[in-house]
Every structure is written in C-alpha cells, then in structure tokens.
Amino acid sequence: SKGEKPLTQIITVTNQKGGVGKTTVVSALVCGLHERGARVLGVDLDPQGNLGFTLCLDIGDGYTVYDVLKGSCAIEQAIAQTEYGDILLSAAEVEFTAPRREFMLSQQLDAVKDSYDFIIIDTPPSLNILTINAYVASTGIILPMEAEVLSLVGISQIQDIIETVQNSFNPNLKVLGILLNKYNPRLTLSRDILDLAEQVAEQLHSQVFPARIRRSVSVAMAPAYGQSVLSYKPDATSARDLQKIVSAVAGDRFPRRKKR
C-alpha cells in the first residue's frame, strides 16, 4: 500500500572458505549504497575485524558487536558513524551459550533496523554460531566464491546450514545469488566453474549474478588507504564490476547518481 516504508533489507555476505573476497564485497555494498543515498549499516561479525580496518576505523576503540550481544551496551552506543555509512565493529570471538542464542543478533538489529534501508553483514570464514546468527537475522544471502573448485565445495556445505535455518528459524531467508570473484574469463577453468556454480545456484533456488568481479590489484590496495575500491579507484575494472552488484542490491530505489 502507498506510504508504507519498504522493509529493511538485511544481507549477509558469506562463505566458510576464507580469502574469497567477502569483506571486499561488504565494503563495496556499504560504500556503494551509502553513495547512492541509502541509509546503510555495516556489521562486522568476523573476529579478524577486516571491515573496520578497510574503512579506516580504529579497531581498538569503542564498543563492538560482542559488547552488544553480551548485553554490555545498547546497540546504538556501539554504532560508529563514518563517511561511508554506519559500522558496527567486531572484536575477539566469545562463546555464547544462552537459550535461543541463534536469535541474539536478530533481536539487537530489531532495535535499529527502522533507521536503515540496508544492513550488510560480514561473516567469519566458518559456520559458527555467529554465522548462524547472521542467517537468522537476514532477509538475503550473497555467496561470493572464487572461480575454483574448493570455493564451490564451501558453498555446497553452506547449503545445508541455509536450509536448516530456513526450516527452523527464518523461513523468509533467500539466497540472492552466487557471486564469482577474482574471475578470469580467459581461463577454461573459470568457465567450467561457472557451469558448476549455476547448478549449485539452482539447488539454492537462486542465480549466479551476471556481473562477475574480475581480478585487479586495486582491490588488494584499497584497504591500505582505508577505502573501499569504489572510492579508491572508481574506474578500475573490479570497481565497475562491484558497482553492478551494488545496483543489483539497490534496485530501482537507489539508482547510481550521475557524476556532475
């Protein structure tokens, strides 16, 4: 109906295999959506804290997502405002044993989600209770993977967890797509992996995003400057590829602003 605010999209970027570019994708989504005028919160659940580092935040400072989950502070106190959007930083991992512990993050985000159009969650490279919390809290999942077989194996293991979460905790969870990262179209291997990825996507009732993220040095360099690749080298091939993913997530509500 008219006048109703569209629901906040909560999107988790996940793969239990490390090094597939999760944080690159999360920082691009946070920065890219913010640039288009969306209200965005980035949540770093990875104890390595790369998202905060990438966006030039002092990791040792202030409250973290763990303080929030442990109840040591209100979620509002832990959110850091940056020029790229709001960020909830991570810290060393803690054990959670509370009943209904799968819902801890979801309950906390409920308190602030009306203030945001998008909440983008970076997850640890493992299927632990934090990752489950992210899935339970989310409306959508993006699965970045490298164009290689082990990366694909990681995704088929995630499939079981996603189905469990859908069946037990969050029936509305959708897989938005598999995102091929560090892609080299000239290699046959990449093309074979693409076929396999499409089969896995079908099992997840999803798609392989038409945009693939090509390999580029800029992606590796950007965090050293405390930036997402979108602001560091906007014309790099990888930045242009990532903007297509931002567009896919942003939809018609937040078109890319034309440069003056």
Side-chain angles (χ1 to χ4, degrees), residues 25 29 36 142-145 147 176-185 194 197-198 207-215 237-249:
V25 174
L29 283 170
R36 295 170 188 223
I142 290 176
L143 293 161
M145 58 166 275
L176 302 177
I178 293 174
L179 176 56
L180 288 184
N181 196 9
K182 304 183 186 179
Y183 188 74
N184 179 348
L194 179 55
E198 278 168 347
Q207 59 164 347
V208 176
F209 282 108
R212 333 233 183 269
I213 315 302
R214 286 164 287 185
R215 281 187 184 278
T237 52
S238 53
R240 293 204 303 266
D241 297 340
L242 283 160
Q243 281 287 9
K244 291 180 184 160
I245 299 301
V246 177
S247 293
V249 169

Side-chain angles (χ1 to χ4, degrees), residues 6-258:
L7 289 175
T8 306
Q9 285 192 50
I10 303 179
I11 296 170
T12 289
V13 178
T14 183
N15 187 332
Q16 81 222 45
K17 189 175 179 302
V20 296
K22 283 192 294 287
T23 304
T24 301
V25 174
V26 170
S27 69
L29 283 170
V30 170
C31 298
L33 290 164
H34 177 71
E35 221 171 59
R36 295 170 188 223
R39 297 166 309 158
V40 191
L41 172 65
V43 178
D44 193 354
L45 284 185
D46 186 348
Q48 289 175 352
N50 289 340
L51 181 64
F53 174 75
T54 300
L55 300 179
C56 213
L57 288 169
D58 184 354
I59 314 288
D61 224 24
Y63 291 114
T64 69
V65 71
Y66 296 104
D67 296 317
V68 173
L69 294 178
K70 285 186 306 200
S72 321
C73 73
I75 186 167
E76 291 86 349
Q77 291 173 280
I79 292 173
Q81 267 117 22
T82 81
E83 58 182 303
Y84 305 113
D86 291 359
I87 306 288
L88 195 49
L89 286 175
S90 114
E93 202 163 330
V94 285
E95 274 307 302
F96 296 108
T97 50
R100 286 178 60 82
R101 59 198 187 127
E102 297 86 2
F103 291 92
M104 290 184 305
L105 181 64
S106 174
Q107 284 162 348
Q108 294 293 343
L109 291 178
D110 277 348
V112 293
K113 70 179 183 194
D114 285 350
S115 306
Y116 296 102
D117 301 299
F118 297 95
I119 297 175
I120 312 289
I121 305 175
D122 198 2
T123 50
S126 58
L127 290 174
N128 59 17
I129 187 64
L130 290 172
T131 311
I132 306 275
N133 260 274
Y135 294 3
V136 171
S138 292
T139 55
I141 282 179
I142 290 176
L143 293 161
M145 58 166 275
E146 271 186 79
E148 44 118 73
V149 172
L150 286 177
S151 207
L152 201 62
V153 170
I155 285 188
S156 48
Q157 289 165 334
I158 282 182
Q159 195 179 336
D160 298 338
I161 303 282
I162 291 173
E163 283 168 7
T164 303
V165 168
Q166 285 168 329
N167 294 332
S168 309
F169 305 117
N170 180 2
N172 301 320
L173 181 64
K174 287 192 172 49
V175 179
L176 302 177
I178 293 174
L179 176 56
L180 288 184
N181 196 9
K182 304 183 186 179
Y183 188 74
N184 179 348
R186 288 189 295 277
L187 297 179
T188 329
L189 175 68
S190 281
R191 291 200 296 273
D192 293 346
I193 293 290
L194 179 55
D195 292 343
L196 287 169
E198 278 168 347
Q199 290 167 29
V200 174
E202 206 170 305
Q203 289 161 12
L204 291 163
H205 310 292
S206 187
Q207 59 164 347
V208 176
F209 282 108
R212 333 233 183 269
I213 315 302
R214 286 164 287 185
R215 281 187 184 278
S216 104
V217 179
S218 312
V219 166
M221 292 299 294
Y225 295 90
Q227 291 184 2
S228 149
V229 69
L230 299 192
S231 52
Y232 170 64
K233 279 273 168 73
D235 295 327
T237 52
S238 53
R240 293 204 303 266
D241 297 340
L242 283 160
Q243 281 287 9
K244 291 180 184 160
I245 299 301
V246 177
S247 293
V249 169
D252 302 337
R253 286 176 64 206
F254 297 101
R256 195 171 177 190
R257 294 171 168 183
K258 295 279 176 278

